[in-house]
Amino acid sequence: MPTSSGTSRLRAKGRPSTDARKSSGSASFDGISHLYDRFAQLTQDDLARWVAEHLPPFSQEALDIGCGTGQFHDLLLARSEWLTGVDVSADQLQVARDRYRSSRVTYTLRRLDAGTLHQLGQYDLVFSSTALHHLGPADEVLRQVRCLVKPGGTLVVIDCIRPPQGILMARMGMFEWWRWLRCLHGAAKVLVRRRSWRDAALMFELRTHPTWRRLAAEALPLGKEEFDRVYTRRLPGARTYGLNSSTRGAVWRRSLQPEE
Ligand SMILES: C[S@@+](CC[C@H](N)C(=O)[O-])C[C@H]1O[C@@H](n2cnc3c(N)ncnc32)[C@H](O)[C@@H]1O
């Protein structure tokens, strides 16, 4: 069993509270988790390669913030002894639980924001993929996320950014038109790559789903330059990476020296 703060602190709290269950409806992926899970499998190959390159070889305790259906949990479990996945969506967590039955992984239903992140404890590896922008303003969220990393530990983040074309189209009043085009383009790419009408239709169904649209409208992704600025300001020494047109990555190692 892990001895230190993070995992044991969450385990001690046991099953999710009724409040967490009640609150899991909004800002969560409830109701679209099976669509999302397939979407993630279809689109995250390149991200998985990047994650594999940047994870430390071994960590004792790892945390996945907004873990969803556990897309990266094969990788995380291969590189850490204990893994805790936290998410606000009961449906997303159920898909993850059904897939990863290892006693080394714990799934916790909880709504996170800048005010509650610190309650998660401290970890040798803190990971998050395309989730932090759902938690609130990046500056505040990152200030809390850095405290979750133990001295000498590592933070590996992938997060969404606002594609520059989207910003331009919004200025020109053509955002809706551009968004539909992107949905079609995403489906066409899957059709060409996977030669599957079914998967192409699924991509289109997810990206035009009312829940997905609502989540996209409520989320707060940074622009590319803003991402680099905020990450390097909050996490001095962090390296940022362009992963594709709508995501960026960041890797930060926390010094072993006490911070001022
Ligand atoms: C785009 S999905 C990413 C899931 C997973 N990390 C992946 O890479 O496939 C975003 C996830 O963040 C979760 N989420 C959104 N807001 C949250 C919050 N306030 N607290 C905890 N999880 C949240 C959603 O339920 C969803 O599973």
Side-chain angles (χ1 to χ4, degrees):
M1 284 291 289
T3 51
S4 54
S5 39
T7 309
S8 36
R9 192 185 294 194
L10 280 174
R11 283 191 176 168
K13 291 187 186 280
R15 300 296 299 165
S17 68
T18 316
D19 276 358
R21 286 185 180 281
K22 271 189 206 146
S23 71
S24 72
S26 70
S28 94
F29 283 51
D30 282 350
I32 54 168
S33 54
H34 283 93
L35 278 179
Y36 176 78
D37 189 48
R38 183 68 189 143
F39 162 83
Q41 287 166 7
L42 290 171
T43 55
Q44 294 189 349
D45 290 359
D46 297 347
L47 301 185
R49 269 192 289 278
W50 181 84
V51 172
E53 273 171 35
H54 291 91
L55 285 182
F58 181 76
S59 304
Q60 190 67 24
E61 287 190 80
L63 170 71
D64 184 359
I65 302 172
C67 66
T69 59
Q71 284 306 316
F72 297 99
H73 289 188
D74 274 334
L75 266 173
L76 291 171
L77 281 167
R79 304 273 186 101
S80 50
E81 188 64 31
W82 304 101
L83 171 62
T84 300
V86 184
D87 202 284
V88 70
S89 163
D91 286 2
Q92 294 274 84
L93 288 179
Q94 195 54 50
V95 175
R97 276 196 193 101
D98 289 345
R99 184 171 296 143
Y100 300 99
R101 294 180 177 273
S102 164
S103 58
R104 295 191 293 121
V105 57
T106 307
Y107 291 109
T108 301
L109 180 68
R110 185 176 290 186
R111 174 184 301 285
L112 298 168
D113 58 34
T116 53
L117 273 163
H118 69 276
Q119 296 168 358
L120 297 178
Q122 280 201 317
Y123 296 80
D124 307 288
L125 170 66
V126 176
F127 175 81
S128 183
S129 162
T130 62
L132 292 189
H133 67 286
H134 289 293
L135 270 50
D139 210 44
E140 272 304 294
V141 167
L142 280 182
R143 201 148 66 91
Q144 299 301 324
V145 166
R146 66 173 282 157
C147 301
L148 303 177
V149 183
K150 284 184 189 169
T154 305
L155 173 68
V156 178
V157 174
I158 294 173
D159 209 3
C160 301
I161 53 166
R162 290 195 314 271
Q165 307 93 312
I167 299 172
L168 186 69
M169 288 294 167
R171 278 195 200 127
M172 293 164 66
M174 294 166 73
F175 186 78
E176 270 304 293
W177 176 86
W178 175 79
R179 214 186 54 74
W180 279 100
L181 208 65
R182 264 174 63 93
C183 295
L184 282 172
H185 180 242
K189 254 179 30 190
V190 167
L191 183 60
V192 171
R193 276 199 200 161
R194 307 266 169 171
R195 294 169 196 270
S196 160
W197 283 100
R198 200 165 163 219
D199 283 336
L202 178 146
M203 279 288 282
F204 192 77
E205 185 185 347
L206 177 70
R207 294 180 76 170
T208 53
H209 195 287
T211 302
W212 182 267
R213 294 194 55 180
R214 179 175 53 78
L215 288 165
E218 289 168 1
L220 301 165
L222 300 168
K224 176 173 170 287
E225 286 78 19
E226 253 178 316
F227 181 100
D228 288 4
R229 217 175 22 250
V230 175
Y231 272 73
T232 49
R233 182 172 65 227
R234 279 291 170 220
L235 309 166
R239 283 198 62 183
T240 58
Y241 301 78
L243 305 181
N244 57 42
S245 64
S246 54
T247 52
R248 271 185 99 65
V251 178
W252 177 69
R253 282 179 228 294
R254 182 168 179 178
S255 157
L256 274 169
Q257 311 304 322
E259 292 182 353
E260 287 162 22

